[in-house]
């Protein structure tokens, strides 16, 4: 077979197609006639297979030339697999042990063969079940600080960073998805939008008439498209994290792009806040998930505090790039100048991060790509109660982000919104 012609893998064809692959044979066993293949992809874009042989298992992920969620009417280039591979390589260097090990990459077939994480589960699923994972706050805080600091001009040699910006600049179509689906579509009647109707109709109309909100969403889009600060994961939600009680791994960075440091952190926290509001739709009796709700708020605080602390550590120990050089501060006997700059940089990140969180909460309820936290609440009345609270917090974050002084304030606002419809 000509390996240059793309062909989607299937359960039947995979052993014959990859049976000669040395890396896969070494990991799972050489006799491909004994391989068992399951397709487990439940994301919006790709095929994902678990392949099990006599000595082990591996994941085979293949991009399709279209958006799986929508179908062949929405073509999407295979090169996203190339960006995912390169992002995984960089993340593995910047925070070792936090992404799956890559065993093999075939650019023409858009195939990445990687470590099968077991007994890990998708974090979003665990949170829907009401499971509290003890390590995720710290692990995700460290991951975001390390990958985002070490991928920026605070750390990288500028020649290397600029070459990398050029490399990832070609991930145009995936950025285009985010630019439309996150920052614009939720705020008008875009064709692929959907929401829980008629329950949310009034609120949706109100949000789409909200001039302040639309202006903020466009300011955030401007940041997303113009602030090529660091290599972002690009789609860091709770469906992109796999967990056990002891281990946390971040997967799926095919949306990787050079953007604001604040982007990944904001997307991530938004998904914990959505989980917070969705718990009401999953609890067996009123208040049954109170402990879970408190855990989610504490996890948000741990992620942010860990991010800040690790970012500050790296600022003090690894600031070797072109920005805020030590030659201007520490080397001139002015360490306080560097601390002043750090405080300002972190404050900018915090204000941007809240805005990104706000629009992410909106697009998961109003746009094309919803999340299972809300979608698995079968009763639409119950689901709409949860979603409307999340929409209101999202609006508050996006519009008031410059004035919100602490995560404690957000927690108080979220708790007030949660209690709103309780009798
Ligand atoms: C058309 S792709 C929809 C969404 O799925 C991905 O996971 C990203 O979040 C994207 O926005
Ligand atoms: Mg994904």
């Amino acid at each position: 077979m000509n390996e240059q012609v793309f062909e989607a893998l299937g359960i039947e064809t995979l052993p014959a197609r990859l049976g000669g692959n040395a890396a896969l044979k070494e990991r799972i066993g050489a006799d491909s006639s004994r391989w068992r293949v399951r397709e487990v992809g439940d994301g919006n874009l790709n095929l994902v297979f678990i392949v099990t042989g006599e000595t082990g298992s591996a994941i085979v992920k293949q991009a399709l030339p279209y958006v799986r969620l929508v179908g062949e009417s929405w073509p999407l280039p295979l090169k996203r697999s190339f960006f995912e591979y390169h992002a995984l390589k960089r993340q593995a260097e910047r925070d070792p042990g936090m992404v799956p090990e890559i065993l093999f990459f075939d650019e023409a077939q858009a195939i990445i063969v990687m470590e099968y994480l077991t007994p890990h589960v998708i974090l979003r699923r665990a949170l829907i079940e009401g499971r509290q994972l003890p390590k995720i706050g710290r692990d995700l805080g460290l991951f975001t600080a390390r990958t985002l600091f070490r991928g920026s001009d605070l750390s990288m040699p500028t020649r290397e960073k600029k070459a990398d910006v050029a490399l990832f600049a070609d991930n145009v179509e995936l950025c285009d998805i985010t630019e439309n689906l996150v920052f614009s579509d939720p705020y008008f009647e875009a064709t692929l939008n959907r929401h829980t109707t008629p329950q949310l109709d009034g609120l949706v109309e109100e949000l789409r008439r909200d001039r302040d909100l639309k202006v903020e969403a466009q300011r955030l889009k401007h940041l997303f498209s113009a602030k090529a600060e660091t290599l972002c994961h690009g789609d860091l939600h709770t469906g992109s994290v796999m967990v056990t009680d002891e281990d946390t791994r971040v997967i799926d960075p095919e949306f990787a792009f050079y953007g604001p440091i604040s982007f990944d952190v904001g997307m991530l926290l938004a998904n914990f806040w959505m989980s917070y509001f969705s718990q009401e739709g999953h609890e067996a009796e009123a208040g049954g998930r109170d402990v879970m709700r408190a855990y989610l708020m504490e996890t948000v605080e741990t992620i942010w505090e860990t991010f800040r602390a690790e970012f500050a550590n790296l600022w003090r120990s690894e600031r070797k790039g072109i920005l805020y050089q030590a030659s201007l501060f520490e080397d001139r006997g002015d360490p306080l100048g560097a601390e002043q700059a750090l405080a300002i940089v972190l404050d900018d990140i915090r204000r941007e991060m809240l805005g990104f969180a706000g629009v992410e909460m909106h697009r998961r309820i109003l746009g094309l790509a919803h999340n299972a936290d809300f979608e698995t609440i079968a009763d639409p009345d119950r689901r709409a109660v949860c979603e409307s609270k999340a929409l209101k917090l999202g609006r508050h974050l996006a519009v008031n982000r410059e004035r919100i002084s602490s995560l404690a304030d957000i927690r108080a606002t979220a708790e007030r919104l949660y209690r709103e419809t309780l009798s």
Side-chain angles (χ1 to χ4, degrees):
M1 190 182 56
N2 177 359
E3 282 295 307
Q4 295 315 305
V5 177
F6 174 83
E7 209 177 310
L9 291 164
I11 292 173
E12 308 297 337
T13 60
L14 190 147
R17 293 266 309 274
L18 297 181
N21 184 284
L24 192 52
K25 287 198 301 191
E26 192 187 331
R27 176 61 61 112
I28 73 172
D31 183 357
S32 61
S33 70
R34 311 289 295 265
W35 292 359
R36 280 175 290 115
V37 184
R38 278 188 296 144
E39 208 275 312
V40 294
D42 66 350
N44 295 329
L45 300 180
N46 308 300
L47 295 172
V48 182
F49 301 91
I50 300 173
V51 189
T52 304
E54 288 179 298
T55 58
S57 299
I59 290 289
V60 175
K61 178 171 178 179
Q62 187 180 37
L64 288 166
Y66 55 85
V67 175
R68 187 177 183 176
L69 173 70
V70 175
E72 295 186 33
S73 61
W74 186 340
L76 199 62
L78 299 172
K79 66 186 177 192
R80 65 185 187 272
S81 184
F82 169 90
F83 297 114
E84 175 166 357
Y85 167 73
H86 283 283
L88 282 167
K89 297 287 267 189
R90 284 155 183 68
Q91 290 164 348
E93 280 166 20
R94 291 170 187 163
D95 194 10
M98 278 295 291
V99 298
E101 180 194 355
I102 301 172
L103 307 175
F104 172 75
F105 173 55
D106 178 339
E107 187 176 344
Q109 294 302 317
I111 290 172
I112 304 175
V113 180
M114 61 190 123
E115 175 184 11
Y116 172 47
L117 298 170
T118 182
H120 299 63
V121 294
I122 295 284
L123 173 57
R124 192 189 299 288
R125 299 273 163 203
L127 298 179
I128 291 169
E129 285 168 15
R131 256 183 79 187
Q132 295 175 34
L133 288 307
K135 283 183 78 250
I136 52 169
R138 184 170 157 71
D139 287 347
L140 293 171
L142 290 175
F143 176 81
T144 46
R146 289 172 181 169
T147 55
L148 299 169
F149 184 96
R150 290 177 172 152
S152 78
D153 274 321
L154 292 164
S155 165
M156 285 177 83
T158 189
R159 181 168 293 281
E160 210 180 292
K161 195 252 183 181
K162 286 179 170 64
D164 223 38
V165 170
L167 182 85
F168 280 90
D170 194 29
N171 204 5
V172 180
E173 292 78 4
L174 282 271
C175 284
D176 177 73
I177 287 179
T178 307
E179 285 150 7
N180 288 310
L181 263 52
V182 176
F183 299 104
S184 289
D185 287 7
Y187 304 108
F188 74 103
E189 295 73 26
T191 322
L192 294 172
N193 282 352
R194 65 187 171 87
H195 63 260
T196 306
T197 187
Q199 292 85 344
L200 292 180
D201 289 356
L203 179 55
V204 172
E205 203 186 308
E206 203 181 294
L207 292 170
R208 289 188 180 147
R209 273 201 318 263
D210 189 328
R211 185 180 295 150
D212 292 342
L213 177 59
K214 287 192 291 182
V215 169
E216 276 314 313
Q218 292 312 294
R219 283 183 70 206
L220 291 158
K221 187 179 191 176
H222 190 167
L223 278 174
F224 175 91
S225 66
K227 195 168 182 178
E229 227 177 4
T230 191
L231 182 64
C232 298
H233 177 285
D235 197 24
L236 190 53
H237 52 75
T238 50
S240 297
V241 181
M242 297 196 69
V243 289
T244 66
D245 282 352
E246 294 80 32
D247 192 35
T248 309
R249 304 290 188 99
V250 175
I251 62 170
D252 279 1
E254 66 204 309
F255 282 78
F257 74 112
Y258 270 83
I261 290 174
S262 52
F263 183 73
D264 280 353
V265 188
M267 298 301 260
L268 185 62
L269 295 196
N271 280 267
F272 282 94
W273 282 316
M274 284 188 279
S275 176
Y276 172 90
F277 288 112
S278 74
Q279 296 297 321
E280 189 181 348
H282 299 295
E283 61 195 1
E285 69 284 320
R289 294 271 183 114
D290 281 352
V291 175
M292 185 66 189
R293 269 184 286 274
Y295 160 80
L296 289 164
M297 284 301 175
E298 280 149 25
T299 301
V300 163
E301 284 158 16
T302 306
I303 292 173
W304 176 245
E305 287 312 322
T306 306
F307 170 84
R308 276 172 59 90
E310 182 67 358
F311 193 93
N313 280 339
L314 298 172
W315 179 278
R316 291 169 195 136
S317 58
E318 291 187 16
R319 207 173 76 253
K320 303 284 178 342
I322 55 167
L323 297 179
Y324 307 97
Q325 300 108 304
S327 52
L328 291 172
F329 297 109
E330 290 91 337
D331 299 354
R332 294 287 170 278
D334 184 20
L336 288 182
E339 292 299 306
Q340 182 177 323
L342 168 64
I344 292 170
V345 167
L346 281 171
D347 212 46
D348 285 345
I349 294 172
R350 186 179 57 80
R351 284 183 280 114
E352 291 175 11
M353 168 280 274
L354 295 178
F356 288 126
V359 293
E360 165 71 356
M361 293 172 78
H362 285 166
R363 71 92 168 218
R364 294 290 182 189
I365 298 168
L366 306 178
L368 165 72
H370 288 222
N371 63 26
D373 309 61
F374 296 123
E375 293 297 288
T376 53
I377 303 169
D379 175 352
D381 290 331
R382 213 171 159 192
R383 182 168 70 242
V385 168
C386 302
E387 290 176 326
S388 68
K389 295 173 185 179
L391 288 172
K392 288 176 190 170
L393 184 69
R395 195 263 174 202
H396 173 63
L397 297 178
V399 173
N400 299 320
R401 63 196 173 89
E402 311 276 355
R403 294 176 287 281
I404 297 172
S405 57
S406 69
L407 286 191
D409 281 0
I410 298 170
R411 183 175 186 162
T413 305
E415 286 170 354
R416 183 178 51 70
L417 285 166
Y418 161 64
R419 285 191 301 270
E420 229 171 38
T421 52
L422 301 178
S423 47

